[in-house]
Amino acid sequence: MSRTAPTDEIRKPPPVQDEEARLRELGYQPVLARRMGGFGNFAISFSVISVLSGCMTLYGFGMGTGGPAVMLWGWAGVGLFVLCVGLALAEVTSAYPTSGALYYMADRLGGRRWGWYTGWLNLLGLLGAIAGIDYGAALFTGAFLNLQWGFQPTAGSTFLIFLAILLLHAVLNLFGVRLVSVLNSISVWWHLAGVAVIVGALAFIPDRHQSVDFVFTEFVNDTGWANPFYVAAIGLLLAQYTFSGYDASAHLSEETSNASVAAAKGIVRAIWVSWIAGFALLAGLSFAIQDYAATQNSATGVPPAQILLDALGSGGATALLLVVIVAQLFCGNAEVAAASRMVFAFSRDNALPGSAIWRKVSGRTQTPVPAVWLAVAVAALLAVPSLYSATAYGAVTAINVIGITPAYAIPIYLRLRAGDRFTPGPWSLGRWSKPIGWTAVGWVAIVTVLFCLPQKSPVTVDTMNYAVIALAVVLVLASVWWYVARRSYGTPTAYGTAREEAEISEGIV
């Protein structure tokens, strides 16, 4: 029998990498259950992005910060730049598939301080995302109860619903990553079917629709600022907030088979599928607006609920609101999973106060149980100001964006700076790495500045953008804690020392 020709060897797919061996090379002993497949990894980022959460929750914000024109064109433009960020981040993820994700990449490529500050920014963004997503679900639940039973939502009742949702997500995450993966897989189809049903209903049932000219050119400014370019820039928050959280695929890489490829693909697929679905959803909502001012001032407190109510009647609106709420619950559950893995990983490297507690893993479910509880507890604290200020939810949203967006760019920038010293993983951009990478870094620099700017004029205690204050507080606290923990913090160079083995054993309960 003749030997296989060299050309046949070239055509063979690359061998699947031994991810457990790769994790040990990166310095960690595997302790989490690797029970998630490629689709499940894509599903968690898609679920966290959740167009039925971000687009629906912030639609009212978009109506006053540029209106339909900025929402539609902004979504198209922001989605393209975010895809560049995702592609560049996916390349680095392929090289460093760990639960620490962004901060571990930054640490390896730039040093301990780069990793330290990236980790704190990433953690701020993830915890802010849980608060923003679940509080948004609470708002929509209040609107659903209003339509169904005449319930009048208040700040207090909304906060109680929010706490109940947080508790649900904590409990679901304690059952292990397999349940999380199953729920996220269901979430993908729920989201896609939900968008199709909502857009289809809004397209065919209402007797009246807005014109194409209205949807793509109508500019609305309720911010108090006179400059339309400034208002349009602020209006990009809707899209940029929704397009966040796709680092979840990286955070779950230690629980994903063939993670060096699957996690990278998961990031990219989640972005472009969300890009298409979100544009269809925003267009469908905008075409179906019956009364713009009445929609903005809806008694439900949620403008999309009013659009559904005016277009479809009480029964149809109630049914579709339920579809949206379930999608938001899927989204929040996925975000708790991602954030808890970040807490676990950061604690594993002794970066958090009480790290010895937060890095413990259940021996039964192989889930970081204390990290799950810490993630939901901090998210609850972040939303407490909503009891006193109507602008608090917007502040939490901005905190999420301002924390997580710069954290995406840091490992990308450090990878570009490293040049040939960076060794790509199995998934690589090749010659496109530099142009896509620099585009991503430039975009993140622009939106980071934009989202620190005030969104309303005049600037008062109620209208101030607190994101910049939150960013400053986190950086100051991270700097102070650095001088306390810098001797103990650090990512390992290789797993296998007696000290590391002892610490891992102590962390399994």
Side-chain angles (χ1 to χ4, degrees), residues 332-357:
N333 190 65
E335 185 63 32
V336 169
S340 63
R341 271 48 175 192
M342 174 59 195
V343 171
F344 159 76
F346 218 25
S347 298
R348 181 172 59 181
D349 291 329
N350 296 305
L352 297 180
S355 286
I357 298 173

Side-chain angles (χ1 to χ4, degrees), residues 61-86:
F61 172 86
M63 291 183 77
T65 52
V70 172
M71 283 192 279
L72 269 297
W73 292 113
W75 182 269
V78 170
L80 179 61
F81 285 111
V82 169
L83 184 60
C84 290
V85 178

Side-chain angles (χ1 to χ4, degrees), residues 94-417:
S94 180
Y96 302 108
T98 72
S99 294
L102 309 181
Y103 89 85
Y104 181 89
M105 303 170 195
D107 186 290
R108 278 291 185 266
L109 293 169
R112 294 172 72 234
R113 285 214 185 197
W114 280 105
W116 178 267
Y117 284 102
T118 302
W120 280 101
L121 288 170
N122 192 197
L123 189 60
L124 169 70
L126 289 168
L127 297 175
I130 296 174
I133 292 163
D134 281 1
Y135 194 82
L139 288 172
F140 271 73
T141 302
F144 173 81
L145 296 175
N146 175 267
L147 289 176
Q148 189 70 18
W149 293 290
F151 172 80
Q152 294 299 320
T154 64
S157 62
T158 300
F159 191 78
L160 289 176
I161 296 170
F162 165 69
L163 292 179
I165 292 172
L166 281 178
L167 180 61
L168 170 66
H169 288 155
V171 172
L172 289 174
N173 270 271
L174 297 181
F175 283 99
V177 74
R178 180 165 290 171
L179 177 60
V180 172
S181 182
V182 169
L183 290 174
N184 287 330
S185 297
I186 296 171
S187 171
V188 171
W189 302 113
W190 186 276
H191 273 81
L192 294 176
V195 169
V197 169
I198 291 171
V199 173
L202 292 177
F204 294 107
I205 296 177
D207 295 328
R208 174 181 172 272
H209 289 89
Q210 297 291 344
S211 66
V212 173
D213 183 66
F214 172 87
V215 171
F216 289 97
T217 66
E218 182 70 14
F219 183 86
V220 180
N221 177 14
D222 294 332
T223 65
W225 297 107
N227 190 318
F229 296 103
Y230 183 93
V231 174
I234 296 302
L236 297 180
L237 176 60
L238 182 155
Q240 187 64 48
Y241 165 69
T242 305
F243 279 119
S244 63
Y246 44 86
D247 57 315
S249 289
H251 288 296
L252 272 292
S253 59
E254 289 184 32
E255 295 158 87
T256 301
S257 300
N258 194 27
S260 298
V261 174
K265 288 183 176 180
I267 291 172
V268 178
R269 287 172 178 168
I271 293 171
W272 71 256
V273 174
S274 298
W275 191 15
I276 296 170
F279 188 86
L281 179 61
L282 290 173
L285 288 169
S286 300
F287 274 112
I289 294 173
Q290 303 299 304
D291 184 323
Y292 204 93
T295 299
Q296 285 182 292
N297 301 300
S298 172
T300 66
V302 180
Q306 192 64 46
I307 293 174
L308 297 175
L309 186 62
D310 293 342
L312 310 175
S314 179
T318 302
L320 292 186
L321 264 184
L322 191 58
V323 171
V324 173
I325 291 167
V326 173
Q328 292 173 333
L329 294 178
F330 278 129
C331 174
N333 190 65
E335 185 63 32
V336 169
S340 63
R341 271 48 175 192
M342 174 59 195
V343 171
F344 159 76
F346 218 25
S347 298
R348 181 172 59 181
D349 291 329
N350 296 305
L352 297 180
S355 286
I357 298 173
W358 314 125
R359 66 173 174 242
K360 290 183 181 296
V361 176
S362 168
R364 183 175 61 87
T365 63
Q366 292 179 276
T367 299
V369 173
V372 170
W373 286 116
L374 180 64
V376 297
V378 174
L381 291 175
L382 285 175
V384 167
S386 67
L387 293 169
Y388 311 102
S389 170
T391 61
Y393 176 71
V396 170
T397 298
I399 287 170
N400 163 228
V401 173
I402 203 67
I404 210 165
T405 306
Y408 289 155
I410 292 172
I412 297 171
Y413 164 73
L414 293 173
R415 176 263 176 274
L416 292 168
R417 192 182 72 168

Side-chain angles (χ1 to χ4, degrees), residues 5 45 55 57 87 107 208 238 279-280 287 303 431 440 454 477 479 495:
S45 282
C55 292
T57 305
L87 286 164
D107 186 290
R208 174 181 172 272
L238 182 155
F279 188 86
F287 274 112
R431 62 191 178 91
L477 291 176
S479 298
Y495 173 75

